[in-house]
Amino acid sequence: MPFRLVGKVQDRALCLVLRPGRNLLGSAVDCTLRVEHPTVSRHHAELFVDGDAVDVKDLGSRNGTFLKDRRVPRGRPAEGEVISFGRVQLVLEKVARADESLVTGESDGSRPEESRTAELKPSALGLQDVSHFALEHLPVLVRGLANGADLPQMAKAAGAALFHALPVLEVQVLRRDGSGTDVLFEARRGGGPAMEGVEGVEVRAAERGILLRAVFLTVGGARVLRPLVEAVAALISLARGR
């Protein structure tokens, strides 16, 4: 299964699709993964994809390559981890091959752009994610609701499902009533401090005292997947013990 790096560069949504073997990242035109930013060196780093693993190696860049807020000469980032190339922060994601063609424009068999760089399209951001959520997670949530799951159980299950199935940076489920606000579920990518500087795009869905927050990396992801977030908030609100 291929990987991609997603993020923002100067307010532009960016997706870099990694292929098996060596991928050269930098600002130069000969880079297979081109990132045009003042803090990204011409030949900044290389990423080597071997099966389900990705290794990153800094190529002596001026502004460094960072994992978990630490400048590293090389390392193996986990899926969902933030990799910083200079001041550009990108999240490593796995992507299904069916979704890859939507990002790179290779569905017609034509040769992709040398940089393998594209702005994230709504279809690429949402189609695979919605299918995965609907087929893998939604049946479990509905069965839990039918079996009488209480509010904390539903909030935890639904929040975790969104966090693992969608391209989000953060998910939070809150309960608001006359006595205050309770956090029922909370999860963030990158171990907290690693996400500093990654602004994200927030989607809020409120339903009968339940507030569901999901922070997406891109505007496209937030726009396409908002209805799903709203539906999950409604599902949580149906749990007993509200």
Side-chain angles (χ1 to χ4, degrees), residues 20-38:
R22 182 176 181 266
N23 298 263
L24 177 62
L25 183 145
S27 60
V29 294
D30 63 332
C31 290
T32 50
L33 303 174
R34 193 176 182 197
V35 180
E36 297 182 83
H37 191 272

Side-chain angles (χ1 to χ4, degrees), residues 127-140 143 165:
L127 180 62
Q128 191 72 20
D129 302 310
V130 171
S131 297
H132 176 61
F133 185 88
L135 294 174
E136 299 294 330
H137 297 282
L138 186 58
V140 177
R143 282 198 299 270

Side-chain angles (χ1 to χ4, degrees), residues 2-9 12-18 25 33 35 47 79-85 88-95 99 103 116-121 124-126 129 166-169 189 195 198-200 215-219 221:
F3 291 85
R4 66 186 176 192
L5 295 169
V6 295
K8 284 184 178 179
V9 176
R12 182 170 63 92
L14 188 70
C15 176
L16 305 172
V17 177
L18 280 63
L25 183 145
L33 303 174
V35 180
L47 297 98
E79 179 186 357
E81 187 171 342
V82 174
I83 311 172
S84 297
F85 304 97
V88 174
Q89 295 182 304
L90 302 174
V91 176
L92 179 67
E93 293 184 346
K94 282 187 177 180
V95 53
D99 199 25
V103 178
R116 297 203 287 268
T117 302
E119 289 193 19
L120 292 172
K121 297 177 173 60
L125 283 164
D129 302 310
L166 303 187
V168 293
L169 299 174
R189 298 199 191 280
M195 297 311 303
V198 180
E199 191 171 311
V215 180
F216 291 85
L217 193 60
T218 64
V219 173

Side-chain angles (χ1 to χ4, degrees), residues 40-236:
V40 175
S41 298
R42 288 176 53 78
H43 294 162
H44 194 106
E46 70 174 21
L47 297 98
F48 192 86
V49 179
D50 183 11
D52 287 333
V54 177
D55 292 298
V56 60
K57 177 184 177 183
D58 187 82
L59 298 177
S61 65
R62 179 184 297 274
N63 294 298
T65 300
F66 296 79
L67 294 174
K68 299 188 188 317
D69 293 328
R70 244 180 1 102
R71 186 168 182 165
V72 295
R74 63 178 65 234
R76 176 169 290 186
E79 179 186 357
E81 187 171 342
V82 174
I83 311 172
S84 297
F85 304 97
R87 294 184 62 83
V88 174
Q89 295 182 304
L90 302 174
V91 176
L92 179 67
E93 293 184 346
K94 282 187 177 180
V95 53
R97 293 195 180 276
D99 199 25
E100 181 187 3
S101 64
L102 296 171
V103 178
T104 62
E106 292 182 84
S107 57
D108 60 354
S110 61
R111 186 173 180 267
E113 295 182 11
E114 285 299 321
S115 64
R116 297 203 287 268
T117 302
E119 289 193 19
L120 292 172
K121 297 177 173 60
S123 55
L125 283 164
L127 180 62
Q128 191 72 20
D129 302 310
V130 171
S131 297
H132 176 61
F133 185 88
L135 294 174
E136 299 294 330
H137 297 282
L138 186 58
V140 177
L141 295 176
V142 172
R143 282 198 299 270
L145 191 62
N147 291 333
D150 61 22
L151 180 57
Q153 291 171 329
M154 278 300 298
K156 182 177 180 181
L162 285 176
F163 185 72
H164 291 297
L166 303 187
V168 293
L169 299 174
E170 179 182 354
V171 172
Q172 189 178 50
V173 183
L174 307 172
R175 174 173 54 186
R176 291 178 171 176
D177 55 30
S179 60
T181 301
D182 296 324
V183 178
L184 301 178
F185 176 84
E186 189 171 32
R188 294 184 178 89
R189 298 199 191 280
M195 297 311 303
E196 291 180 3
V198 180
E199 191 171 311
V201 182
E202 183 179 86
V203 171
R204 289 182 172 230
E207 189 76 29
R208 294 191 291 179
I210 299 300
L211 175 64
L212 175 55
R213 293 179 59 253
V215 180
F216 291 85
L217 193 60
T218 64
V219 173
R223 182 176 64 250
V224 171
L225 296 169
R226 176 184 289 275
L228 182 58
V229 174
E230 293 172 344
V232 172
L235 194 65
I236 296 172

